[in-house]
Amino acid sequence: MDHLTIVALALAGGALLAAVVGGVAAVMINASRPNPVFLIACVVAALACVVAADTVDAAGEQRAARIAAQGFGEGGCDYPAPVYSATPGWFTW
């Protein structure tokens, strides 16, 4: 489960980086005539990273729900399994 968390956080960081680069480019670089292709590419990259992060997060939640539903075996712990509900994700179709 840790690798899914790291991937989702990296994708969210990529979305933040793309948004910051696009914002700085719009304000600082050629402020009178910013390159629209570059700005659109930054927006598309940010949105793609957000959708990918949400998809990875939803897959992790579904996997955690399956693991929680398995219960505990003989050699496991004595405490009851937590109730876990998975969400499909905001951007997952």
Side-chain angles (χ1 to χ4, degrees), residues 4-29:
L4 291 175
T5 302
I6 292 170
V7 170
L9 289 174
L11 287 168
L16 177 67
L17 181 67
V20 168
V21 168
V24 168
V27 173
M28 301 294 285
I29 302 171

Side-chain angles (χ1 to χ4, degrees), residues 28-91:
M28 301 294 285
I29 302 171
N30 199 7
S32 61
R33 287 184 33 179
N35 185 355
V37 174
F38 180 74
L39 297 178
I40 291 170
C42 287
V43 170
V44 168
L47 287 176
C49 285
V50 167
V51 170
D54 185 59
T55 303
V56 169
D57 182 55
E61 285 186 6
Q62 291 171 356
R63 184 172 177 201
R66 284 193 307 270
I67 291 170
Q70 290 176 357
F72 296 99
E74 274 297 310
C77 299
D78 292 334
Y79 57 88
V83 176
Y84 194 90
S85 62
T87 60
W90 288 96
F91 301 104

